Amino acid sequence: MLQGIRKLCCELLDLKDAVENLCGNVRTKYLAFLRISEEVVEMKHELTEMQKHISSQGLLVQDLVTGVCSELEDWNKSCGLNDVAEKNPQVSEEQDLTLSELHNQRMILLDNIDVLLAEHKVEEAVEALVVEERKYPELKGSADSLSEEANSYRLAFLERKAKAEGQLVELVKQPLVNIAERRRALSCLIKLGKGPSAHQLLLKSFRDHLQKSIDVFLPSSSFCPRIFSATLAKLVFSSISATIKESGLIFGDNPAYTNRVVQWAEWEIEFFIHLVKENAPSSETVSALHAACICIQASLSYCSLLESQGLKLSKLLLVLLRPYIEEVLELNYRRARKAVLNLVESEENLPVSPRFVSPLSAFATSSDDALIDNGLRFMYIIDISSMLLPAVARVAFYGLPSDVEEFVFVHIRHDGGDERDAATAAA
């Protein structure tokens, strides 16, 4: 029995040693794995840097060879070696060798550009394309004056240029692209000679972003109809302001691009007015009148801010808003006039509103029911007028054209006599 226990203890001790050795081996191998992983990451980074270095060195060697070939050609022409080449076949062979090297360098350049485009390093590819175009202006011209080999290289070069342009366009069109990446992509398109297309992409980018913001906001317009137009104006005019700033930073003060921004802003203003009319409350309600006042106030305030950026849109805004404002004022005026006349002509007793109890307390001891009823009618007329006239005054104050103001106040002077007579009769 005792020997069995000792044997069991020995086996347990051996098992313990084996487990400890196993744990030590696992820990050692785990640390070795971590160290190897770090070395792999470092090696990957070094390989990337080496690849960039090789690409830059290749471009440098190509530039050097191209410059040397150009100088050799100039030197040959100045020394009259063309005549010597006809007499000396060895010189002709050297010239053929130089042309072969130039061809090889061009193929290397095209391969490098293909690699950069495959790795989506489009900015580096654009720089290489621009440098090559500066060295050989005939790449931008026609193929009439070029040899067959030179024209073949020109077509291959233009094909790479089109690929680079396509990648830049796709980058700008991505919905999640940040401002810095979009700005760099548009700058590369300008370097490739695609300034008008780049500017059109910029305007479309801001238009798409504005449309998404409006689509998110429109469902909530029914909850706040009075301030809907002010919030919508903030979205539209903020987008216009940001577009002006971005266009100035990328394209400068070029009149052609500035005119395009102005035209685009005018289209956005027309779209803004359309949305205001489409989502505003019914034109004959007081809410529509207040919403129109807030729309004019907010829109003209934003227009004054845009004037500091050189963009004047207030006149266009007022011209587009005029039919809508006229309709709202006309229908509200008719509604108020009809309510006043119906109130005066009605012979039924009016219910006493809680807010009229205090003004009528002075007549509480009077037994003249007609006096109290007429006083109540007079207060209702004043209440109706108080909802209409301040809004009309705000519309006129915020810069509505003078002929529209005249339209409003002529109607008040012309037809307002009936209301004044009714109010006098009620009193």
Side-chain angles (χ1 to χ4, degrees), residues 32-151:
F33 173 75
L34 292 179
R35 185 176 64 258
I36 293 174
S37 299
E38 293 177 356
E39 292 177 356
V40 168
V41 173
E42 293 178 358
M43 186 176 297
K44 183 178 179 181
H45 179 70
E46 291 177 357
L47 287 175
T48 304
E49 293 296 329
M50 187 179 298
Q51 186 177 9
K52 292 181 179 178
H53 180 69
I54 291 173
S55 298
S56 61
Q57 292 298 322
L59 293 175
L60 181 60
V61 171
Q62 177 192 355
D63 295 342
L64 181 60
V65 171
T66 303
V68 170
C69 292
S70 178
E71 291 181 0
L72 285 175
E73 290 178 0
D74 295 339
W75 184 76
N76 288 337
K77 291 179 181 179
S78 63
C79 296
L81 291 182
N82 291 332
D83 296 334
V84 177
E86 295 178 355
K87 300 177 181 179
N88 191 350
Q90 184 178 359
V91 175
S92 179
E93 292 177 0
E94 292 177 356
Q95 289 180 349
D96 293 339
L97 181 61
T98 302
L99 293 176
S100 176
E101 291 177 354
L102 179 59
H103 174 75
N104 292 335
Q105 293 300 325
R106 287 178 170 179
M107 293 302 102
I108 292 173
L109 172 66
L110 294 178
D111 292 339
N112 289 337
I113 293 176
D114 288 336
V115 171
L116 292 173
L117 292 177
E119 296 176 352
H120 295 282
K121 298 178 180 180
V122 64
E123 295 182 29
E124 298 180 21
V126 169
E127 290 297 330
L129 290 168
V130 171
V131 170
E132 188 71 4
E133 280 188 340
R134 290 175 183 172
K135 291 180 180 178
Y136 303 102
E138 61 270 15
L139 292 173
K140 296 182 179 180
S142 62
D144 298 337
S145 59
L146 298 178
S147 63
E148 182 178 353
E149 183 179 357
N151 186 46

Side-chain angles (χ1 to χ4, degrees), residues 18-295:
V19 170
E20 289 178 352
N21 293 332
L22 179 61
C23 292
N25 291 335
V26 170
R27 188 179 297 106
T28 303
K29 292 180 179 179
Y30 177 69
L31 293 176
F33 173 75
L34 292 179
R35 185 176 64 258
I36 293 174
S37 299
E38 293 177 356
E39 292 177 356
V40 168
V41 173
E42 293 178 358
M43 186 176 297
K44 183 178 179 181
H45 179 70
E46 291 177 357
L47 287 175
T48 304
E49 293 296 329
M50 187 179 298
Q51 186 177 9
K52 292 181 179 178
H53 180 69
I54 291 173
S55 298
S56 61
Q57 292 298 322
L59 293 175
L60 181 60
V61 171
Q62 177 192 355
D63 295 342
L64 181 60
V65 171
T66 303
V68 170
C69 292
S70 178
E71 291 181 0
L72 285 175
E73 290 178 0
D74 295 339
W75 184 76
N76 288 337
K77 291 179 181 179
S78 63
C79 296
L81 291 182
N82 291 332
D83 296 334
V84 177
E86 295 178 355
K87 300 177 181 179
N88 191 350
Q90 184 178 359
V91 175
S92 179
E93 292 177 0
E94 292 177 356
Q95 289 180 349
D96 293 339
L97 181 61
T98 302
L99 293 176
S100 176
E101 291 177 354
L102 179 59
H103 174 75
N104 292 335
Q105 293 300 325
R106 287 178 170 179
M107 293 302 102
I108 292 173
L109 172 66
L110 294 178
D111 292 339
N112 289 337
I113 293 176
D114 288 336
V115 171
L116 292 173
L117 292 177
E119 296 176 352
H120 295 282
K121 298 178 180 180
V122 64
E123 295 182 29
E124 298 180 21
V126 169
E127 290 297 330
L129 290 168
V130 171
V131 170
E132 188 71 4
E133 280 188 340
R134 290 175 183 172
K135 291 180 180 178
Y136 303 102
E138 61 270 15
L139 292 173
K140 296 182 179 180
S142 62
D144 298 337
S145 59
L146 298 178
S147 63
E148 182 178 353
E149 183 179 357
N151 186 46
S152 176
Y153 173 68
R154 172 179 170 275
L155 293 176
F157 180 85
L158 293 178
E159 181 182 354
R160 271 71 172 182
K161 187 176 179 181
K163 288 182 180 179
E165 180 184 349
Q167 287 192 11
L168 292 170
V169 171
E170 290 298 324
L171 178 62
V172 175
K173 288 183 177 180
Q174 290 181 5
L176 300 180
V177 64
N178 58 51
I179 296 176
E181 290 180 349
R182 181 180 63 193
R183 191 176 297 170
R184 290 197 299 268
L186 293 175
S187 299
C188 288
L189 284 174
I190 295 173
K191 292 179 181 178
L192 293 177
K194 302 296 181 180
S197 300
H199 195 264
Q200 191 66 28
L201 286 171
L202 175 67
L203 297 181
K204 187 178 184 302
S205 176
F206 275 97
R207 180 69 185 86
D208 293 342
H209 183 269
L210 174 60
Q211 185 62 53
K212 290 180 181 179
S213 301
I214 291 175
D215 292 341
V216 172
F217 168 68
L218 280 181
S220 63
S221 62
S222 58
F223 299 106
C224 49
R226 290 192 175 186
I227 62 172
F228 157 75
S229 57
T231 307
L232 184 62
K234 181 179 180 182
L235 292 175
V236 174
F237 285 95
S238 298
S239 179
I240 294 175
S241 177
T243 304
I244 295 172
K245 292 179 181 178
E246 192 70 8
S247 177
L249 287 174
I250 300 175
F251 299 92
D253 297 330
N254 191 320
Y257 299 131
T258 303
N259 293 335
R260 288 188 179 186
V261 173
V262 172
Q263 186 179 17
W264 177 84
E266 291 176 351
W267 290 341
E268 296 305 321
I269 294 296
E270 293 178 3
F271 180 65
F272 163 68
I273 300 300
H274 171 73
L275 288 178
V276 169
K277 294 179 180 179
E278 193 175 57
N279 297 275
S282 179
S283 299
E284 61 184 6
T285 61
V286 177
S287 297
L289 188 58
H290 285 287
C293 297
I294 294 174
C295 179

Side-chain angles (χ1 to χ4, degrees), residues 3-21:
Q3 290 179 354
I5 293 174
R6 289 178 179 175
K7 183 178 180 181
L8 182 60
C9 290
C10 292
E11 291 177 353
L12 289 174
L13 290 174
D14 294 339
L15 181 60
K16 179 182 178 182
D17 294 337
V19 170
E20 289 178 352
N21 293 332

